[in-house]
Amino acid sequence: MTKPRPLVAGNWKMNGARASWKEAESLAGLLAADPEVRADVMLCPPTTLIAEFAQGLKGSELLVGGQDCHGESSGAHTGDISAGMLADAGATAVIVGHSERRADHGETSEDVRIKAAAAHKSELLAIICVGETETERKQGEALNVVGTQLSGSLPEKAQAGNTVIAYEPVWAIGTGLTPTLDDVGEMHRHIRSELKGKLGEAEAAGIRILYGGSVKPVNAAELMAVTDVNGALVGGASLKAEDFWGIVSVYAEK
Ligand code: PGA
């Protein structure tokens, strides 16, 4: 079976201002200069920058995504952004269910499922995040917790073309810690097998499962080489084009 084309997505979180365009521009330049990169590459800047980035990146290989969306398409939800608005601004994807949203905004897997379905309705790729806490891992519950999050967060119309799963252990995000390669492999295998049970063999084989949590240029090659790891969701190391390129270039032809 052919492997899905990897995706390396940068999650800028609440970082970046208009002056950060230079990072996007230089990343797009690096991508254009290296036609052998065998991965999709995406930046998910804060919402304020999406339209400008998408406009500036027209014709470039670099994709633009959002970091969250509301489950409804419009209405009285002050401060929220719909999937349709992201698409209108030029995004082609949106991250949903990031652990920071689950923790800071009390988002449940049911909320995440509704958001992912809204993303699909607006023809956005939904990047659905799952991951266990440190306590859950220590208690031996990591596989169970992630399996439950996955089945609760996966919308009905999930397919390889519209859905990406990002496994991000909460304790590895922004800490410099990463699971062992065996633990990453075990979790990704588990996610793939859960997807098979829900979507069937062919669809599940095509879904990209990203690893996220302290991915850096120094550890990217070994993490990306793990079976069933189809790319990365990168926070801190995606803010500077040079660092992010150090991760993306794992997928460049040598
Ligand atoms: P990090 O964040 O790479 O800074 O650990 C990853 C994420 O939260 O997506």
Side-chain angles (χ1 to χ4, degrees):
M1 191 147 320
T2 55
K3 284 197 207 160
R5 183 175 166 87
L7 167 67
V8 184
N11 172 13
W12 278 16
K13 311 190 181 187
M14 200 170 71
N15 298 293
R18 295 182 72 194
S20 318
W21 162 248
K22 65 177 193 311
E23 300 299 334
E25 193 179 30
S26 97
L27 187 62
L30 288 163
L31 261 180
D34 197 333
E36 303 299 337
V37 175
R38 303 202 165 180
D40 292 337
V41 184
M42 182 186 294
L43 283 181
C44 300
T47 313
T48 48
L49 301 180
I50 288 176
E52 199 167 321
F53 278 26
Q55 182 66 31
L57 292 171
K58 270 204 181 125
S60 122
E61 295 275 302
L62 184 55
L63 303 165
V64 180
Q67 299 175 12
D68 175 52
C69 66
H70 196 274
E72 287 178 29
S73 54
S74 64
H77 303 288
T78 302
D80 281 316
I81 305 284
S82 72
M85 290 169 179
L86 293 175
D88 182 56
T92 56
V94 60
I95 299 167
V96 290
H98 190 281
S99 65
E100 286 150 17
R101 301 282 324 167
R102 291 180 189 256
D104 298 354
H105 300 268
E107 288 184 11
T108 62
S109 289
E110 172 66 1
D111 296 327
V112 176
R113 187 181 63 74
I114 291 168
K115 286 171 183 237
H120 291 163
K121 220 168 143 189
S122 292
E123 297 187 358
L124 295 180
L125 180 72
I127 303 173
I128 301 174
C129 302
V130 293
E132 83 286 355
T133 62
E134 187 177 16
T135 314
E136 288 162 343
R137 174 148 297 266
K138 283 195 175 138
Q139 289 171 343
E141 286 300 316
L143 295 178
N144 276 342
V145 166
V146 168
T148 305
Q149 284 179 350
L150 181 67
S151 60
S153 307
L154 203 65
E156 214 179 295
K157 293 193 174 132
Q159 306 166 351
N162 66 14
T163 302
V164 168
I165 307 299
Y167 167 56
E168 298 204 303
V170 177
W171 53 272
I173 295 176
T175 58
L177 303 172
T178 50
T180 64
L181 299 179
D182 282 349
D183 285 346
V184 171
E186 180 185 42
M187 185 61 82
H188 280 240
R189 222 172 21 253
H190 178 62
I191 292 172
R192 183 85 63 204
S193 117
E194 294 284 301
L195 290 171
K196 270 185 198 158
K198 288 179 197 322
L199 309 174
E201 184 103 20
E203 230 29 82
I207 290 200
R208 292 173 287 187
I209 307 174
L210 313 185
Y211 168 77
S214 297
V215 179
K216 310 281 176 212
V218 289
N219 60 17
E222 58 180 21
L223 285 163
M224 299 305 103
V226 174
T227 307
D228 279 317
V229 172
N230 312 117
L233 183 55
V234 184
S238 70
L239 292 170
K240 293 270 169 249
E242 198 187 320
D243 294 339
F244 197 37
W245 183 252
I247 295 169
V248 169
S249 57
V250 163
Y251 291 107
E253 283 291 288
K254 298 278 162 9

